[in-house]
Amino acid sequence: MEEEKLIVLAKNNEEAKNELYKKYKYIEDILIRKYSNIAISLNIDINELVSEASFAFSDAINSYQNDKNAKLSTFISLCIDRRLQKLIKKYSSEKAKVLNNTYSLDYNYNEDGLTLKDLISDDSMNDPLNKLAEEQEYNELLLKIKGILSESEYEVFKLYSNGFDYQTIALITNKNSKQIDNTIQRLKHKIRDILGN
């Protein structure tokens, strides 16, 4: 049967919809693979990714219009990709809420390989007054860092210092990897200047 007829039938006929699904399932598989690493890093169950992709596939078939000069395969790809990106953003924004209140003490901020923990700690960790002073120093340092970074640099700083890779940060912030790389290099220089002072 011609694809155009299948598309018309698929809106009300499960068999026709299944035929289109078999024909274009490879698109769903490719996009699920594309987002699987990011999903794992955000603790998204792969089954949820598959489910969202299937819903998007079905929506694409139901809302596709032949007269829009777009191939069905392109439209399906676009619908699935958008739905998976929306899912990733949802989870990353939830994770970002948690990350807003946490910072990595183990990230190296200077050439000596010293972490924030190294810079603001000493051997007298058992003394509660020293512990309080360290926390204040750490919070002051974070305020200084926040003060010299732009809003977008600070967002990248929080994500990067909590272990997100360039590609994930790019996806979360809607930027490309090169922009993220440039931002990270810029903020590293700014933080080194603070630590140097």
Side-chain angles (χ1 to χ4, degrees):
M1 187 181 291
E2 288 179 26
E3 185 169 280
E4 287 181 13
K5 289 180 182 175
L6 265 178
I7 293 166
V8 172
L9 284 174
K11 296 182 191 281
N12 299 312
N13 182 303
E14 283 301 312
E15 285 182 39
K17 191 179 280 189
N18 287 337
E19 282 299 313
L20 289 172
Y21 184 75
K22 286 178 195 171
K23 183 174 181 180
Y24 293 112
K25 184 176 181 336
Y26 73 93
I27 297 171
E28 185 178 299
D29 295 339
I30 289 169
L31 290 169
I32 288 170
R33 273 196 305 273
K34 174 183 172 184
Y35 290 107
S36 63
N37 287 339
I38 296 167
I40 289 167
S41 72
L42 293 170
N43 294 322
I44 301 172
D45 188 335
I46 294 299
N47 291 327
E48 188 170 357
L49 211 61
V50 170
S51 176
E52 289 295 315
S54 295
F55 283 129
F57 194 103
S58 182
D59 287 346
I61 290 172
N62 290 332
S63 57
Y64 178 72
Q65 296 173 358
N66 289 353
D67 59 350
K68 296 294 184 187
N69 293 329
K71 290 183 179 178
L72 178 61
S73 58
T74 304
F75 189 69
I76 290 170
S77 179
L78 183 66
C79 289
I80 294 173
D81 196 52
R82 283 183 180 166
R83 183 120 182 193
L84 294 180
Q85 281 185 17
K86 189 176 178 182
L87 178 71
I88 297 290
K89 278 188 179 185
K90 175 188 158 203
Y91 273 86
S92 62
S93 66
E94 287 172 6
K95 191 166 187 174
K97 286 176 191 172
V98 173
L99 296 179
N100 281 342
N101 300 317
T102 61
Y103 299 92
S104 174
L105 291 174
D106 299 316
Y107 178 72
N108 292 333
Y109 288 97
N110 67 17
E111 297 91 17
D112 301 330
L114 294 174
T115 64
L116 279 179
K117 190 187 322 180
D118 297 329
L119 292 166
I120 62 176
S121 67
D122 62 16
D123 294 332
S124 53
M125 287 293 284
N126 296 330
D127 183 351
L129 290 176
N130 282 338
K131 211 171 189 177
L132 185 61
E134 286 173 12
E135 285 178 23
Q136 286 178 325
E137 278 183 54
Y138 178 66
N139 289 332
E140 285 173 19
L141 181 57
L142 288 177
L143 281 173
K144 284 182 186 176
I145 289 170
K146 187 175 183 178
I148 61 159
L149 300 179
S150 69
E151 193 174 310
S152 62
E153 287 172 337
Y154 188 63
E155 180 184 9
V156 170
F157 164 73
K158 288 187 295 184
L159 293 168
Y160 187 66
S161 64
N162 281 283
F164 285 95
D165 61 24
Y166 286 34
Q167 288 77 19
T168 306
I169 296 171
L171 184 67
I172 291 169
T173 59
N174 267 342
K175 295 181 179 172
N176 65 47
S177 296
K178 185 64 181 160
Q179 287 174 302
I180 298 302
D181 181 42
N182 291 339
T183 302
I184 288 173
Q185 297 313 314
R186 226 178 18 257
L187 65 87
K188 280 182 180 178
H189 288 296
K190 289 181 178 183
I191 290 171
R192 280 188 198 123
D193 290 344
I194 288 179
L195 296 176
N197 294 332

